[in-house]
Amino acid sequence: MSTVAGERTGPRTGTMAQALNLALRDAMRADKTVHVLGEDVGALGGVFRITDGLTAEFGPDRCLDTPLAEAGILGTAVGMAMYGLRPVVEMQFDAFAYPALEQLFSHVAKMRNRTAGKLPLPITVRIPYGGGIGGVEHHSDASEAYYAATPGLHVVAPATVGDAYGLLRAAIASDDPVVFLEPKRLYWGKDGWDPAAPVEPIGRAVLRRPGTSAVLVTYGPSLPVCLEAAEAAKAEGWDLAVLDLRSLVPFDEATACAVVRSLGRAVVVHESAGFGGAGAEIAARLTEKCFHHLAAPVLRVTGFDVPYPPPMLEHHHLPGVDRILDAVARLQWEE
Amino acid sequence: MPEMTVLDHRNDPAAAVPGWRPGATAPRTDPAPLLPDAEPLRVLGTPAADAADPALLRELYRRLVAGRRYNQQATTLTKQGRLAVYPASTGQEACQVAAALALRPDDWLFPSYRDTLAVVARGVDPLQALTLLRGDAHTGYDPRATRTAPLCTPLATQVPHAVGLAHAARLAGDDTVALALLGDGGTSEGDFHEGLNFAAVLHAPVVFLVQNNGYAISVPLTRQSAAPTLAHKAVGYGMPGRLVDGNDALAVHRVLTEAVERARTGGGPTLVEALTYRIEAHTNADDATRYRQAEEVEAWRAHDPVRLLEDALRGRGLLDEQLVADAAERAEQLAARMRAEFHTDPELDPMSLFAHVYAEPTQQLCEQAGQLAAELAAEAEVHGR
């Protein structure tokens, strides 16, 4: 083994892809029951190289190149988990997960409930998630609403390098199934982070930027866009807070409500379609719980209600700084 | 005869490398040893039956008689509104009982919804095996303690589960085998094909038993598959296919025992097709007269698994009065227990709705649990309880 433990502790600078790779590596080192499986995860190290080197270090049984069949991959992981393993499944691209949805919805999400707690399934389903990388169709879907609407699943979406490491470690350690959405356009962004730093548990939101005028509530790939929008809004006299939910299930209602009540104005931002999207649920909840504190309706900025567009048009679909600022302007609500 | 196309091999790399074919990196294996026999294996009524262990024959007989009675009583309970639904396995008792008896206690069974008799043969309490169909709990038994997965309602989704469990057992160094049960309709599902392919590629110690009872609800096998037999489907995945008379309990037991042993000793997976017939409708809610002829049902009644076994026992002088009386009494005791147990509605705790969604309930679930508790309290007050 080339890397010693001492080299891996302490702060460093790296990409989200490296952080995810290290999270898998550290989880596999710490727990022999952690097994990675999926298409191309072996010699290739995954098409995004998230599983790079795992087969070399842990062998082809612990990091298993499978036949190309997503239902088979996830269904096999169910059986492995029933026998006491902690499978980490890679779905190569978001829309490629759809053949496995029956396994996810009918079995992964329900097995604990179906068996009155006798067969919990500690499965992590990693899904490279969302658009913005110029992928052709079926390579950029953002389907978190399907997963979040399915009781029994946790739905986690990191937005920072540190969270990518910490939340993936937490997901793998979770005794319940976790759909782990990796914002693929953030894979190559570098940041400082510390693998040894304590990780906030899944289900806790983090205020990434304090503010006094309104709050942008977001997660995953939209976080950097919101931070940029908050910076740009300063010129227009708005001091925007940015809340990173980090997970949709559990939804950290307490933190979100506290921020919204204190500021009275909120915009929910995500890149997937708006109708029936996660933002609809969040906005409804915030309105129900914070109505008397609101100076304006909770607004949503989302992708359009269209199938994910061809790459040359995706910049029109994905919420950008201008669309967010337009919504912020509408928070100056007048009847 | 059409003229055969003559390929020009001048630019074909295959011509340069003997034995090469596009995409091939492994030697091509001869499929002939994987092919099922032309006729389904029968043991009862053949000289081979004479060699069978009398204790096994008696045990199969007792369980088949009890299984037949179980099917009758459960169907009656649906008519009384005591079971929400029951997919009877009348006519298929031999497949289920003999297959389950081929397993060791530490092996795993992955049943589908019609396989309650197999579940019971594993040692699961006969009434706990019915909670799903009664409607009081999804799975009434502990899958881990009984090594029996929940009765699976979606078709063939349990197939990859069996593969994954068998694979994990092998990685752990255990000689545990997984047996997945499914019907003919299930062989059309994607999960069946993906599961078989994974099993063969992973060389997993798993056995697949297709109980081909002729119909997927109303759709006959001719509309389900164009393969010569369902057992032939094994060959394309690289595993042996076996064909067996599913109403011949000894034949099923023999084929399954061989397949389980083969899996246990590192031989990899096997696909077994058992030819049987669903004497009753798909469930109590189905009208089978709309899609099949009475003559067909009668023909299969003449090939009844219980009678076949009785004849064999009688032929060997094993069907004494003691055994008949003992089997009948056990069956009646079981039926009486079912009637008594299902006479009243069970007391269910409404708050159990929230008990096993997550290891730790979310804040939202806790709020909803509070809401239900308040509703229950208000209801109790109205009713003066």
Side-chain angles (χ1 to χ4, degrees):
Chain A
M1 208 173 296
S2 58
T3 319
V4 295
E7 291 172 333
R8 294 185 293 112
T9 57
R12 86 258 323 270
T13 298
T15 65
M16 182 181 280
Q18 289 168 336
L20 291 165
N21 178 260
L22 185 62
L24 290 171
R25 202 177 284 265
D26 285 351
M28 293 173 86
R29 283 175 180 166
D31 182 352
K32 281 192 174 357
T33 66
V34 177
H35 282 235
V36 169
L37 66 160
E39 163 78 2
D40 294 316
V41 298
L44 184 65
V47 293
F48 293 109
R49 306 293 182 268
I50 307 300
T51 58
D52 192 24
L54 299 183
T55 294
E57 180 173 347
F58 301 102
D61 284 337
R62 299 264 322 265
C63 182
L64 178 70
D65 258 336
T66 65
L68 202 173
E70 287 76 12
I73 295 169
L74 190 51
T76 299
V78 169
M80 292 166 69
M82 287 171 75
Y83 207 76
L85 299 180
R86 284 185 182 271
V88 183
V89 163
E90 176 172 306
M91 297 285 154
Q92 198 157 75
F93 282 91
D94 8 53
F96 297 180
Y98 299 160
L101 289 187
E102 185 185 15
Q103 284 291 344
L104 188 71
F105 294 165
S106 291
H107 295 296
V108 175
K110 292 180 180 171
M111 193 66 87
R112 173 187 285 279
N113 191 256
R114 291 174 68 211
T115 61
K118 304 293 189 197
L119 279 184
L121 295 181
I123 299 174
T124 303
V125 186
R126 295 182 36 245
I127 307 181
Y129 160 80
I133 63 161
V136 295
E137 65 170 350
H138 310 301
H139 288 73
S140 299
D141 290 23
S143 309
E144 67 270 30
Y146 306 152
Y147 307 126
T150 304
L153 299 176
H154 290 300
V155 183
V156 174
T160 68
V161 176
D163 264 6
Y165 178 87
L167 289 176
L168 184 52
R169 290 297 303 270
I172 294 169
S174 168
D175 287 333
D176 281 320
V178 178
V179 175
F180 194 82
L181 302 169
E182 299 174 359
K184 58 174 97 75
R185 79 176 120 123
L186 306 184
Y187 270 154
W188 304 284
K190 276 194 176 184
D191 202 0
W193 59 290
D194 182 358
V199 182
E200 288 284 310
I202 291 173
R204 209 166 290 175
V206 168
L207 198 64
R208 297 291 178 196
R209 177 192 166 106
T212 55
S213 310
V215 60
L216 304 178
V217 180
T218 191
Y219 53 89
S222 294
L223 176 67
V225 186
C226 286
L227 290 170
E228 194 184 337
E231 199 57 35
K234 284 200 296 194
E236 299 178 33
W238 286 85
D239 179 17
L240 296 178
V242 177
L243 183 70
D244 178 6
L245 292 175
R246 301 167 77 248
S247 76
L248 292 172
V249 183
F251 171 60
D252 186 354
E253 201 167 286
T255 302
C257 285
V259 178
V260 170
R261 284 184 189 130
S262 73
L263 299 178
R265 292 177 169 86
V267 180
V268 185
V269 182
H270 60 64
E271 71 175 54
S272 56
F275 191 89
E281 175 64 33
I282 295 165
R285 243 164 225 286
L286 293 175
T287 304
E288 283 176 3
K289 303 271 177 164
C290 310
F291 184 71
H292 292 295
H293 301 267
L294 289 173
V298 177
L299 299 178
R300 285 173 293 154
V301 175
T302 71
F304 296 125
D305 297 338
V306 299
Y308 199 87
M312 293 175 78
L313 290 172
E314 68 177 343
H315 62 287
H316 295 295
H317 168 73
L318 296 171
V321 170
D322 287 346
R323 199 177 296 162
I324 295 170
L325 292 180
D326 285 347
V328 169
R330 283 190 284 131
L331 288 175
Q332 286 183 326
W333 188 256
E334 286 173 28
E335 290 292 337
Chain B
M1 191 174 170
E3 195 180 333
M4 286 181 68
T5 310
V6 179
L7 294 172
D8 182 352
H9 287 288
R10 277 171 299 186
N11 295 318
D12 184 353
V17 187
W20 186 92
R21 63 196 166 104
T25 53
R28 187 169 171 170
T29 51
D30 178 7
L34 304 178
L35 282 163
D37 293 333
E39 292 299 320
L41 178 76
R42 293 200 173 97
V43 176
L44 294 176
T46 74
D50 296 339
D53 176 13
L56 173 67
L57 278 166
R58 288 197 185 95
E59 181 62 14
L60 285 169
Y61 174 73
R62 278 189 287 263
R63 285 184 179 273
L64 258 59
V65 169
R68 176 64 52 87
R69 189 71 188 86
Y70 186 92
N71 276 322
Q72 286 168 346
Q73 186 61 61
T75 302
T76 303
L77 287 168
T78 64
K79 291 175 180 159
Q80 298 167 345
R82 288 295 167 195
L83 285 183
V85 64
Y86 186 71
S89 56
T90 309
Q92 298 180 224
E93 292 94 340
C95 292
Q96 296 193 20
V97 168
L101 291 187
L103 296 177
R104 273 191 341 212
D106 60 322
D107 293 331
W108 272 76
L109 178 76
F110 288 78
S112 84
Y113 54 83
R114 201 182 297 286
D115 299 319
T116 38
L117 295 187
V119 170
V120 171
R122 292 286 290 159
V124 171
D125 182 275
L127 302 175
Q128 286 181 344
L130 282 172
T131 60
L132 171 77
L133 302 163
R134 184 189 202 181
D136 57 321
H138 298 310
T139 307
Y141 49 91
D142 179 346
R144 214 183 282 283
T146 59
R147 307 284 183 123
T148 302
L151 290 161
C152 193
T153 314
L155 286 192
T157 50
Q158 77 278 22
V159 171
H161 301 173
V163 177
L165 184 131
H167 174 64
R170 193 173 63 98
L171 292 181
D174 301 337
D175 65 351
T176 299
V177 173
L179 168 63
L181 303 183
L182 72 161
D184 41 304
T187 66
S188 297
E189 293 279 3
D191 280 45
F192 169 75
H193 299 278
E194 297 190 15
L196 260 65
N197 191 43
F198 270 64
V201 169
L202 295 173
H203 209 66
V206 58
V207 177
F208 310 100
L209 173 61
V210 177
Q211 295 172 69
N212 175 2
N213 66 16
Y215 293 87
I217 304 189
S218 69
V219 178
L221 187 74
T222 50
R223 279 278 175 200
Q224 202 65 247
S225 172
T229 73
L230 298 176
H232 276 79
K233 292 177 188 285
V235 181
Y237 297 109
M239 73 177 75
R242 300 293 310 275
L243 195 58
V244 61
D245 180 346
N247 288 14
D248 180 336
L250 265 190
V252 174
H253 189 264
R254 172 170 300 179
V255 170
L256 265 292
T257 302
E258 285 168 6
V260 167
E261 193 54 25
R262 183 171 174 274
R264 200 183 308 289
T265 53
T270 304
L271 172 67
V272 181
E273 175 187 4
L275 292 165
T276 186
Y277 195 77
R278 190 188 75 209
I279 293 293
E280 304 293 336
H282 167 63
T283 69
N284 51 297
D286 171 35
D287 177 7
T289 64
R290 294 175 72 109
Y291 54 83
R292 64 186 194 188
Q293 302 296 316
E295 298 79 49
E296 181 183 292
V297 183
E298 289 314 308
W300 276 94
R301 280 192 198 279
H303 193 62
D304 182 86
V306 184
R307 198 184 305 163
L308 288 176
L309 192 59
E310 270 175 4
D311 290 348
L313 281 155
R314 192 177 290 116
R316 283 185 57 185
L318 296 171
L319 195 75
D320 52 68
E321 275 180 39
Q322 179 70 39
L323 176 62
V324 172
D326 179 42
E329 191 190 332
R330 274 173 52 165
E332 280 314 313
Q333 279 176 357
L334 174 61
R337 222 189 118 207
M338 290 165 78
R339 286 193 300 272
E341 186 91 5
F342 291 131
H343 181 60
T344 50
D345 288 331
E347 290 280 330
L348 300 176
D349 177 9
M351 299 311 291
S352 68
L353 281 178
F354 303 98
H356 302 294
V357 184
Y358 298 99
E360 295 287 330
T362 61
Q363 186 199 336
Q364 290 77 29
L365 269 186
C366 292
E367 282 178 24
Q368 291 173 4
Q371 181 191 342
L372 181 59
E375 288 172 10
L376 293 169
E379 211 173 286
E381 198 166 318
V382 167
H383 293 93
R385 274 178 283 174

